[in-house]
Amino acid sequence: MIREPLIFEISGKGKRAFSLPALDVPEKQEIFKNLPLRSEIKGFPEVSEVEIVRHFTRLSRTNYCVDEGFYPLGSCTMKYNPKINEKIASILEFTCTHPYAPFDLVQGNLEVLKTTEELLAEITGMDAFSLQPAAGAQGELLGMMLIRACLEERGNPREIVLIPDSAHGTNPSSAHICGYRVQEIKSNEEGTIEVEDLAEHMTEDVAALMITNPNTLGVFEVDIKKVAEIVHSKGGFIYMDGANLNALVGVSRPGDMDVDVIHLNLHKTFSTPHGGGGPGSGPVGVKRELDPYLPVPVIGKNQNEYVLDFDQPKSVGRVHSFFGNFLVVVKALSYILSLGSRGLKEVAEVAVLNSNYIRKSLEKDYHLKYTTPTFHECVFSDKFQKEHGVHNIDIAKRLIDYGVHPPTMSFPLIVQGALMTEPTETESKRDLDLFIDAMKQIAKEAKEDPEVLKSAPHTSYVRRMDETTAARNPVLKWDGGHKIEE
Ligand SMILES: *Cc1c(COP(=O)(O)O)cnc(C)c1O
């Protein structure tokens, strides 16, 4: 593999990316006199057009993306998102709307927002939605703020939030940021919440249970109704982390499971590519009781006109400027309408089928701490491979050589050496089989040639990184002298 040099290293004095004929009229320098022109930058690279094009094309190919291949990163739902949704979101009337435009001029945009709120409410069985949060974790925080506001009005915000040990890692931090103390609830052998442990912890000091469903093991919380009854009987709320709704969408509804608050990740389930820190959206849905606390402005309808309602005295206020990430909502609406209810149901059916296909195909090669049938993802561990000195990181790095993005590693914490694998609904049987074959091959290598795993990847642009030094001592600026090592 040839290392791509820095563009500064390709630079050669006097090289230009264009050539123009010599000037055949008098030069008029004064035209430029009052323009804010940039002065010379010392050391600015000088390269030809073809050098620029090749440099950046080669760099772009060093990245891995879902348009290139299988990306089974657990809990992240790195699925393929149809390009039509991008096309709809790039319609000029959407991209050029000014956020301060008077609402009578942006009725179409308000209709997009209101319709999406209503469809999400129908899909989840909740009563109302806010589209403001820009991410799942911000949705969690808003959800907890709504619970706190409601409890405060009842006279006591309470102190504790219960979270199962199989929950997503953002849940405890959201509860903590909202001023709650977190108590962990144990999982049982099936990988679901231990109902007796919950009942013991559930007191009148508990504001809510935050539950990820299906949880990070990919296991559906079958006792959710009983769990909700226990929590409700002591005046607490059920918060559901619905980031991975592709496991349920069109089949079952959290609202029917007595969930009081939920957040979704439009940038996972509803067709916005993510992973590079781009715009996201974490809408929050509530039951009637929490409706008055939702962020302002609420979009209402006055006869045939959409209006913005700021007059919500109990509202927790804004959590995002304007309406959140509007174009992510446009993509979600485009996705929901293009699939329809039958298509959405198929999303969940295929997501669950794909995950179970992988789990069953690999269960002899990789240890499964929990053998419960899974929904959208399954969690293997490196227990068998450890006998040969091979760890989950070696397996993950070796997968890169087979052209697959590694699964999520070392999470959830209740599975040691975890490899959390989420195929998503968009993968074909052929692609699933390529992954399964690669994983089987790696299991064989672990027994016969563990060294090849421990030094992997061998074919990628960069080899095994020193991740500690990269995090502790990052080199973020070119100082003019640094040369990339071979
Ligand atoms: C991704 C995810 C989150 C957090 O969402 P962000 O948009 O990354 O903040 C929360 N819970 C679960 C289960 C997730 O998969």
Side-chain angles (χ1 to χ4, degrees):
M1 178 74 56
I2 298 164
R3 311 262 161 207
E4 182 61 24
L6 299 176
I7 198 161
F8 300 96
E9 294 170 290
I10 309 171
S11 172
K13 194 109 207 83
K15 283 201 244 179
R16 289 289 174 271
F18 59 90
S19 68
L20 294 175
L23 209 59
D24 59 358
V25 291
E27 200 172 309
K28 285 211 163 189
Q29 276 297 345
E30 65 269 24
I31 304 176
F32 302 113
K33 228 169 59 198
N34 292 323
L35 293 177
L37 289 183
R38 195 185 57 201
S39 56
E40 283 288 305
I41 297 174
K42 202 163 154 279
F44 198 72
E46 297 177 70
V47 283
S48 69
E49 178 177 330
V50 64
E51 283 173 322
I52 295 177
V53 170
R54 286 188 182 155
H55 175 66
F56 286 106
T57 303
R58 284 192 299 248
L59 278 184
S60 74
R61 288 194 188 170
T62 63
N63 203 0
Y64 190 83
C65 56
V66 81
D67 282 358
E68 187 181 333
F70 190 43
Y71 209 130
L73 203 58
S75 207
C76 292
T77 315
M78 303 300 284
K79 66 184 187 184
Y80 175 79
N81 296 291
K83 298 283 178 267
I84 182 71
N85 305 313
E86 297 292 331
K87 209 171 157 68
I88 302 283
S90 64
I91 292 173
L92 214 61
E93 282 73 5
F94 289 135
T95 58
C96 287
T97 315
H98 196 287
Y100 279 125
F103 64 70
D104 51 332
L105 294 183
V106 291
Q107 285 291 307
N109 298 35
L110 293 179
E111 185 176 350
V112 164
L113 293 166
K114 192 70 197 166
T115 309
T116 309
E117 284 177 15
E118 286 168 358
L119 287 172
L120 293 180
E122 188 182 332
I123 289 168
T124 55
M126 305 303 282
D127 292 323
F129 260 87
S130 168
L131 301 173
Q132 276 189 24
Q138 199 191 5
E140 291 170 28
L141 178 60
L142 172 61
M144 295 317 293
M145 287 162 66
L146 300 174
I147 290 173
R148 179 179 270 281
C150 181
L151 287 172
E152 251 164 22
E153 197 177 313
R154 285 190 203 158
N156 176 8
R158 305 189 171 192
E159 289 187 357
I160 298 165
V161 167
L162 303 179
I163 303 184
D165 55 9
S166 63
H168 193 264
T170 44
N171 294 186
S173 49
S174 299
H176 178 78
I177 290 173
C178 200
Y180 286 110
R181 190 150 50 81
V182 173
Q183 273 179 9
E184 199 170 87
I185 304 294
K186 281 201 282 292
S187 296
N188 57 27
E189 278 179 3
E190 275 79 50
T192 55
I193 189 168
E194 178 77 61
V195 177
E196 291 75 40
D197 196 34
L198 170 73
E200 263 172 45
H201 281 82
M202 188 63 217
T203 65
E204 297 198 344
D205 249 352
V206 172
L209 169 77
M210 283 184 101
I211 191 165
T212 306
N213 197 16
N215 61 34
T216 57
L217 296 166
V219 176
F220 184 76
E221 295 287 353
V222 281
D223 292 324
I224 182 83
K225 282 269 208 182
K226 207 188 296 169
V227 162
E229 203 182 301
I230 293 171
V231 172
H232 287 151
S233 72
K234 295 270 177 9
F237 288 92
I238 301 283
Y239 181 99
M240 179 172 140
D241 180 332
N244 304 123
L245 201 76
N246 61 333
L248 306 178
V249 63
V251 177
S252 61
R253 310 194 311 164
D256 302 333
M257 302 170 203
D258 298 336
V259 165
D260 303 298
V261 201
I262 186 172
H263 86 264
L264 310 176
N265 277 33
L266 298 188
H267 51 289
K268 286 179 183 166
T269 313
F270 295 98
S271 205
T272 282
H274 64 110
S281 178
V284 168
V286 293
K287 290 278 174 62
R288 276 283 160 257
E289 189 173 13
L290 293 171
D291 190 359
Y293 308 95
L294 286 178
V296 282
V298 171
I299 301 168
K301 206 166 185 189
N302 191 355
Q303 279 150 7
N304 283 326
E305 196 181 46
Y306 291 97
V307 290
L308 298 181
D309 182 2
F310 287 87
D311 186 23
Q312 300 281 332
K314 293 183 182 175
S315 166
V316 294
R318 273 186 185 280
V319 294
H320 196 287
S321 53
F322 307 110
F323 303 95
N325 282 325
F326 175 66
L327 293 176
V328 179
V329 176
V330 174
K331 281 181 228 182
L333 181 60
S334 162
Y335 180 72
I336 292 169
L337 293 179
S338 63
L339 286 182
S341 55
R342 178 62 227 153
L344 286 175
K345 186 169 178 222
E346 219 168 285
V347 164
E349 288 168 349
V350 180
V352 171
L353 179 65
N354 281 358
S355 155
N356 280 282
Y357 180 63
I358 285 181
R359 188 173 57 80
K360 289 305 282 180
S361 303
L362 290 175
E363 68 184 356
K364 292 204 175 67
D365 302 276
Y366 291 89
H367 178 250
L368 283 167
K369 180 172 172 190
Y370 299 94
T371 49
T372 323
T374 41
F375 273 53
H376 61 299
E377 64 196 1
C378 56
V379 182
F380 298 104
S381 88
D382 60 10
K383 191 170 177 190
F384 298 160
Q385 287 70 35
K386 252 193 228 154
E387 288 167 22
H388 310 283
V390 169
H391 294 89
N392 58 353
I393 184 146
D394 307 316
I395 298 163
K397 295 292 182 192
R398 183 62 172 152
L399 269 173
I400 296 171
D401 288 335
Y402 288 97
V404 177
H405 193 284
T408 296
M409 278 192 341
S410 307
F411 193 84
L413 301 176
I414 48 176
V415 178
Q416 253 213 353
L419 288 161
M420 183 201 217
T421 309
E422 182 187 8
T424 83
E425 64 277 12
T426 58
E427 299 310 309
S428 65
K429 176 160 183 302
R430 183 176 178 276
D431 282 329
L432 298 179
D433 285 338
L434 287 174
F435 170 73
I436 290 163
D437 287 348
M439 287 292 279
K440 281 181 180 290
Q441 190 62 30
I442 290 170
K444 197 158 158 253
E445 287 172 345
K447 284 184 215 151
E448 295 169 2
D449 189 8
E451 282 315 310
V452 78
L453 300 185
K454 286 196 231 169
S455 50
H458 302 278
T459 56
S460 59
Y461 190 72
V462 287
R463 302 292 173 80
R464 186 74 67 104
M465 301 287 249
D466 178 344
E467 288 172 2
T468 312
T469 305
R472 292 285 157 84
N473 188 22
V475 179
L476 300 176
K477 197 172 174 193
W478 188 60
D479 62 7
H482 180 75
K483 279 264 184 275
I484 294 181
E485 281 167 34
E486 290 306 315

